[in-house]
């Protein structure tokens, strides 16, 4: 008797083939199917940029068939999670995405598996919501690239590690300035950002890097501090003192024909009306087009604490830790 192939196995093959087609053709990334005995992971997906493999990987679990589209919501579908699968995926070395595939249409939809996306159902079971808008296609490329950078926890720690040279500069007594040109008439929130190091006397200027940002309608006084969670962002005292005195003199100080100097309002009172209470603000504007900011970064508790963690991690010695279950 010939051996029959299970319908579910045929369906799974169709789903994997459909997802592979999307990954390799639409995204132009690398798709590596895992061996059948690999528990809980069907494939690895590698991000490709400028025709070069980046080493940034996603682990994918691919589920195929109409049964995975039964628990429908207004915005997508619920995917029930098995306890063993969930533990394995959350502890996996790679970011994990669950992909559900319709073998008839060949369309597929995805969701990342992490502490933010996994929710608890009414009966205590865990489940994952897979949004209809997250169709696996070219449109998902940017978000999947971001996820492939690493798990949210690891990514935030990695960003702190990348900022260590700046933290060490501040610890050594150098000052770090954040210079920003904000294009105030652009709804895109366009801005040019430059990071500069100076000595304690505001001399010996060294540029550390420059970036271009687009933050939409978010106010810069909220955006700029969020870029540096390891530091407090304050006004650069020398810049704002000089700019404020120049603005005050232009507005409140004048001389008569005899050369006598008159002041219409004291500087301290004028500053209160200007909002001079230390709140973040630009120090000048060019032709009503560009606001100019110059802020200073000062190590906060997170920055000082991370420097201590780094000092410890660079050391030697045994460390006991609980075993994984």
């Amino acid at each position: 008797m010939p051996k029959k192939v299970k319908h579910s196995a045929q369906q799974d093959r169709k789903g994997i083939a459909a997802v592979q087609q999307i990954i390799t053709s639409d995204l132009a990334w690398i798709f590596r199917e895992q061996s059948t005995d690999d528990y809980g992971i069907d494939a690895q997906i590698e991000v490709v940029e400028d025709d070069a493999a980046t080493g940034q990987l996603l682990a994918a679990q691919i589920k195929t068939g109409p049964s995975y589209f039964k628990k429908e919501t207004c915005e997508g579908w619920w995917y029930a999670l098995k306890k063993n699968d969930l533990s394995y995926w959350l502890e996996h070395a790679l970011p994990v995405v669950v992909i559900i595939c319709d073998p008839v249409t060949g369309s597929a939809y995805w969701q990342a598996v992490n502490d933010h996306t996994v929710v608890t159902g009414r009966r205590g079971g865990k489940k994952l919501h897979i949004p209809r808008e997250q169709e696996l296609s070219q449109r998902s490329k940017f978000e999947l690239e971001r996820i492939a950078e690493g798990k949210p926890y690891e990514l935030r720690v990695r960003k702190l590690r990348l900022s260590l040279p700046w933290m060490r500069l501040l610890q050594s007594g150098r000052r770090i300035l954040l210079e920003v040109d904000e294009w105030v008439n652009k709804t895109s929130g366009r801005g040019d950002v430059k990071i500069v190091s100076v000595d304690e006397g505001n001399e010996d200027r060294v540029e550390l890097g420059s970036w271009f940002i687009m933050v939409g309608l978010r106010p810069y006084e909220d955006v700029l501090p969020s870029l540096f969670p390891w530091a407090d962002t304050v006004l650069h005292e020398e810049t704002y003192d000089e700019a404020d005195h120049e603005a005050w003199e232009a507005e409140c100080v004048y001389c008569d024909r005899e050369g006598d100097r008159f002041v219409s309002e004291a500087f301290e009172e004028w500053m209160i009306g200007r909002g001079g209470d230390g709140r973040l603000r630009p120090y000048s504007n060019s032709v009503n087009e560009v606001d100019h900011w110059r802020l200073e970064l000062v190590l906060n508790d997170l920055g000082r604490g991370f420097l201590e963690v780094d000092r410890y991690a660079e050391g030697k010695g045994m460390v006991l830790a609980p075993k994984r279950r």
Side-chain angles (χ1 to χ4, degrees):
M1 292 291 290
K3 201 169 187 179
K4 292 185 178 180
V5 178
K6 292 182 179 179
H7 176 68
S8 59
Q10 290 179 324
Q11 196 163 246
D12 289 344
R13 294 306 312 160
K14 286 183 180 179
I16 290 174
V19 170
Q20 181 173 8
Q21 176 67 21
I22 295 169
I23 295 297
T24 57
S25 297
D26 293 4
L27 276 65
W29 289 357
I30 298 169
F31 182 93
R32 299 188 183 95
E33 186 176 351
Q34 300 294 97
S35 58
T36 55
D37 60 352
D38 189 0
Y39 171 62
I41 297 297
D42 294 313
Q44 286 187 3
I45 299 168
E46 183 168 0
V47 177
V48 174
E49 288 183 4
D50 299 325
D51 298 324
T54 62
Q56 294 179 344
L57 299 168
L58 292 168
Q61 170 73 358
I62 302 167
K63 295 295 185 180
T64 309
S67 62
Y68 297 104
F69 294 87
K70 284 184 177 179
K71 297 181 180 180
E72 189 171 4
T73 70
C74 295
E75 298 177 344
W77 305 270
W78 285 114
Y79 176 84
L81 294 162
K82 296 178 181 178
K83 187 175 180 180
N84 288 342
D85 283 344
L86 179 58
S87 297
Y88 179 66
W89 292 340
L90 289 177
E91 294 179 5
H92 203 281
L94 300 177
V96 175
V97 293
V98 168
I99 301 172
I100 56 174
C101 181
D102 183 339
V104 177
T105 64
S107 56
Y109 305 84
W110 63 274
Q111 178 60 286
V113 182
N114 56 53
D115 293 332
H116 301 292
T117 57
V118 174
V119 298
T120 304
R122 294 178 185 176
R123 298 180 181 179
K126 301 295 183 180
K127 57 184 181 178
L128 193 69
H129 189 256
I130 301 178
R132 197 185 309 273
E133 65 180 14
Q134 289 185 186
E135 183 174 0
L136 188 64
S137 67
Q138 177 69 25
R139 291 184 305 169
S140 298
K141 194 170 187 177
F142 175 80
E143 186 64 16
L144 289 170
E145 282 179 344
R146 187 187 65 79
I147 295 169
E149 291 178 352
K151 297 177 182 179
Y153 176 93
E154 295 168 352
L155 186 58
R156 291 171 77 87
V157 172
R158 190 187 310 161
K159 288 182 177 179
L160 285 174
R161 289 182 61 194
L162 291 173
S163 300
L164 270 171
W166 294 347
M167 297 184 206
R168 289 170 180 154
L169 278 176
L170 291 176
Q171 190 180 48
S172 72
R174 296 282 295 184
R175 300 168 70 182
I176 294 181
L177 310 185
L178 174 63
E179 299 180 342
V180 181
D181 292 336
E182 175 193 1
W183 296 78
V184 293
N185 297 322
K186 305 288 186 183
T187 57
S188 62
R190 173 186 167 184
D192 299 307
V193 178
K194 185 181 295 183
I195 308 294
V196 175
S197 171
V198 296
D199 61 19
E200 292 183 0
N202 211 37
E203 304 284 344
D204 188 28
R205 180 183 171 92
V206 178
E207 184 173 329
L208 303 178
S210 58
W211 294 265
F212 172 76
I213 61 173
M214 306 273 279
V215 298
L217 299 177
R218 293 174 61 197
Y220 268 46
E221 57 267 31
D222 294 336
V223 171
L224 298 179
S226 72
L227 301 177
F228 309 93
W230 45 270
D232 292 330
T233 309
V234 300
L235 302 179
H236 181 243
E237 188 174 352
E238 294 92 326
T239 297
Y240 284 82
D241 279 352
E242 182 178 347
D244 289 340
H245 274 90
E246 287 181 358
W248 169 72
E249 288 185 350
E251 189 175 324
C252 300
V253 179
Y254 62 96
C255 297
D256 60 16
R257 294 180 178 178
E258 287 74 31
D260 293 325
R261 189 170 182 267
F262 295 90
V263 177
S264 61
E265 186 177 17
F267 177 74
E268 291 76 13
E269 295 175 357
W270 178 84
M271 279 296 293
I272 293 173
R274 186 179 173 86
D277 55 0
R279 285 178 293 180
L280 302 186
R281 54 187 170 86
Y283 67 88
S284 69
N285 176 276
S286 298
V287 295
N288 293 321
E289 286 287 341
V290 181
D291 273 349
H292 304 290
W293 304 67
R294 184 176 288 128
L295 309 177
E296 183 166 358
L297 303 182
V298 180
L299 275 177
N300 59 19
D301 288 343
L302 176 60
R304 288 188 291 270
F306 196 75
L307 283 167
E308 285 299 307
V309 170
D310 176 65
R311 183 183 64 81
Y312 164 77
E314 291 285 356
K316 298 180 181 179
M318 293 179 61
V319 179
L320 288 179
K323 292 182 179 180
R324 287 190 175 184
R325 295 181 179 178

